[in-house]
Amino acid sequence: MTDGTIDLQALAAEAYIYGYPLVLNLDEVDRFSRKGMGSLAPAPFNEFSHAERLAGPDTPSADANHDTVYSVAQLDLSGGALLLTVPDTDGRYYVLQFVDAWTNNFAYVGRRATGTGAASYLLTPPGWDEEVPLGATRIPVPTEVATIVGRWACAGPDDVAAVQALQEDTHLEPYWTASGEPRGLPTHTYISDDEPELLFYEKLRIRMASFPPAPADLTYQQRFARLGLLDTQSPYTHPEPDLAEALRAGYAAGKEKVEQASSHEGNSEGHREGDEEQNGWQLSYHAFDYNIDHFEVGTLKDPQWVCADRELGRMLRATSAHTALWGKHGYEAAYAMAWHDSDGSPLEGEQSYTLRFEKPPPVDAFWSVTVYDLPDRHLVANPIDRYSIGDRTPGLSYDDDGSLTLRLQPQRPADPADDKTAANWLPTPDGRFRPVLRMYTPRAAIFDGTYELPPIRRS
């Protein structure tokens, strides 16, 4: 079907898939600046918000990370360039991940990408052509609004103070040539929340114009002219009946496609389209490979990490925004999830399981396993306040052959001979649960099949 003959409903569904990441992302940027997120307090544009503790059972966020403490800044470069300075972390793992308005991960600063020494970076808006100050590294930002998501390795509550000192030494400030006040997010024409479909397309219209994508996508956007998405004035306040009907139907169809592609047959406990599976683990190593246009500091422009098919990439971008907004490339941290044991039975909190690593996951930073309840995917309180376990866990006990057996079960293991099993115990919540294995700065063996994740077995 050609662009000229494609019906409006199908075109509206296509536009929904294309525009969903942009709309969702900037809605979250706006919400963060006003209300914060989880343990992160709200902060205005161009200022960091630093979490003051590790995530715990009272953290409302799904899949809360218990390995790192967060720092997040929403950037607005409409007033000019920003200077970012980072401290010397003395080898501690950290990453500052840069995400543009379209959810492209376009740069990384941190241990893997740039080392752990003190450094300065000049963040420049589109069209900037001035001199870079001596000693600073330029990071061109593809869109005037963007996000920095920072994660600092934290070994536990006693380590939080050291992380806070590093956070306090991480600064954003206007570069001296900055000439104006940041504009913030563009204001769209008022449309009632009672018309969510029309409101979505209105947000998409104004945000597409305010934050142009790469040239190839600018050309692609022309196909949406018939929907009014390229109009300079909103056509959605009093739309023609045929257009309104097509937008409402296309919104529903596009939303259903994104939700189905995000999980297996719409089951939130299933496997996302395109993910691989290994011994019962769902591997989401390539969920963020849709950026094929912007490769700045710390990114890998390697075919292994670039989804060259733009059509496939647009759906991948939408599903990743839907399930894991602001997630990072697998080469920075590789994630795997499991819902079932080695026999295919759902993981249940009243059962006991073993996870035996013949060899620990090959990483250059560290790895961990965290369990979450279902369906909320929250951390759940337990008697020993342990929410993750991994190579940084004090007292972890390895077998004589170098293997490591973790115990996932609700009660403390009873082993009168020694405390080895208790040292390797990760408490599980009541009911269904899902473990997540995180591997920071993974080595090539994780991706080329040389290393395989072990199955979870009922004990």
Side-chain angles (χ1 to χ4, degrees):
M1 188 177 292
T2 66
D3 290 356
T5 60
I6 188 171
D7 66 77
L8 283 182
Q9 177 180 328
L11 196 62
E14 185 180 343
Y16 177 91
I17 295 168
Y18 173 66
Y20 173 76
L22 176 67
V23 173
L24 173 69
N25 180 42
L26 295 185
D27 280 352
E28 289 300 309
V29 168
D30 175 60
R31 185 171 71 89
F32 187 95
S33 65
R34 294 181 295 105
K35 299 181 179 180
M37 181 181 297
S39 59
L40 290 157
F45 281 99
N46 301 335
E47 291 186 18
F48 274 103
S49 173
H50 299 300
E52 299 178 345
R53 57 186 176 86
L54 284 165
D58 58 345
T59 303
S61 305
D63 296 328
N65 187 321
H66 190 67
D67 298 320
T68 61
V69 175
Y70 280 92
S71 295
V72 172
Q74 306 300 346
L75 307 179
D76 183 354
L77 286 84
S78 59
L82 296 169
L83 187 64
L84 167 69
T85 56
V86 297
D88 185 345
T89 70
D90 193 26
R92 181 189 296 265
Y93 174 86
Y94 82 101
V95 60
L96 300 181
Q97 166 197 351
F98 294 75
V99 189
D100 75 4
W102 290 88
T103 72
N104 292 304
N105 293 327
F106 65 90
Y108 294 93
V109 166
R111 182 168 138 178
R112 177 199 62 83
T114 57
T116 61
S120 298
Y121 300 89
L122 189 67
L123 315 182
T124 61
W128 191 90
D129 61 357
E130 302 171 29
E131 291 292 326
V132 178
L134 186 65
T137 299
R138 182 187 174 191
I139 300 180
V141 181
T143 52
E144 286 186 345
V145 168
T147 301
I148 298 177
V149 184
R151 300 168 176 88
W152 307 85
C154 184
D158 294 340
D159 195 31
V160 169
V163 169
Q164 289 177 328
L166 296 172
Q167 292 173 318
E168 291 172 2
D169 285 340
T170 304
H171 302 288
L172 271 173
E173 56 185 329
Y175 186 50
W176 71 274
T177 61
S179 58
E181 287 294 321
R183 289 189 294 267
L185 293 176
T187 302
H188 56 78
T189 303
Y190 173 76
I191 294 177
S192 170
D193 291 340
D194 294 334
E195 293 276 12
E197 301 92 348
L198 299 182
L199 179 58
F200 173 88
Y201 290 104
E202 170 61 9
K203 287 180 177 179
L204 179 56
R205 180 189 71 85
I206 196 71
R207 292 172 182 179
M208 278 172 46
S210 299
F211 306 109
D217 267 9
L218 273 177
T219 301
Y220 170 76
Q221 286 180 2
Q222 298 301 312
R223 67 193 288 105
F224 301 128
R226 294 170 57 210
L227 298 173
L229 285 172
L230 305 186
D231 291 5
T232 56
Q233 300 294 322
S234 176
Y236 307 124
T237 53
H238 300 92
E240 293 294 327
D242 288 350
L243 176 60
E245 181 181 356
L247 292 174
R248 292 187 180 103
Y251 176 96
K255 182 178 181 181
E256 182 179 8
K257 287 181 179 180
V258 170
E259 290 175 349
Q260 287 183 344
S262 298
S263 60
H264 180 60
E265 297 180 352
N267 179 357
S268 63
E269 297 175 15
H271 304 299
R272 293 196 322 174
E273 189 173 287
D275 282 344
E276 298 179 0
E277 190 172 326
Q278 186 180 88
N279 291 328
W281 293 91
Q282 175 191 337
L283 311 181
S284 56
Y285 300 161
H286 296 284
F288 301 95
D289 293 358
Y290 46 77
N291 172 29
I292 61 176
D293 298 301
H294 307 291
F295 298 91
E296 305 301 339
V297 173
T299 56
L300 298 182
K301 192 175 182 181
D302 183 299
Q304 181 183 9
W305 301 106
V306 177
C307 177
D309 184 332
R310 285 188 178 270
E311 182 176 358
L312 177 61
R314 286 190 282 271
M315 179 57 82
L316 184 61
R317 182 192 307 275
T319 57
S320 295
H322 185 62
T323 58
L325 185 67
W326 302 344
K328 49 199 176 298
H329 279 102
Y331 54 75
E332 182 67 44
Y335 288 10
M337 290 149 275
W339 284 263
H340 302 89
D341 64 21
S342 58
D343 295 324
S345 299
L347 296 172
E348 301 281 358
E350 61 269 18
Q351 300 294 332
S352 296
Y353 302 92
T354 59
L355 178 59
R356 186 174 188 272
F357 294 93
E358 296 290 344
K359 294 181 179 179
V363 297
D364 287 328
F366 61 95
W367 63 269
S368 72
V369 178
T370 310
V371 294
Y372 302 92
D373 69 356
L374 291 174
D376 296 331
R377 294 155 40 207
H378 289 164
L379 299 171
V380 177
N382 63 73
I384 60 172
D385 289 329
R386 178 180 287 176
Y387 305 102
S388 63
I389 192 168
D391 57 358
R392 300 179 304 160
T393 302
L396 205 63
S397 180
Y398 291 81
D399 294 330
D400 292 340
D401 61 0
S403 64
L404 174 68
T405 301
L406 302 182
R407 307 278 178 167
L408 280 60
Q409 60 189 62
Q411 302 298 326
R412 178 185 176 91
D415 190 339
D418 56 52
D419 291 331
K420 180 171 66 174
T421 54
N424 295 2
W425 171 40
L426 181 60
T428 55
D430 295 334
R432 298 284 305 281
F433 70 91
R434 185 192 68 173
V436 175
L437 172 62
R438 293 178 170 93
M439 296 167 284
Y440 296 84
T441 317
R443 296 176 185 167
I446 296 290
F447 308 114
D448 64 16
T450 306
Y451 180 86
E452 285 195 11
L453 304 182
I456 300 174
R457 301 184 187 278
R458 185 174 295 191
S459 57

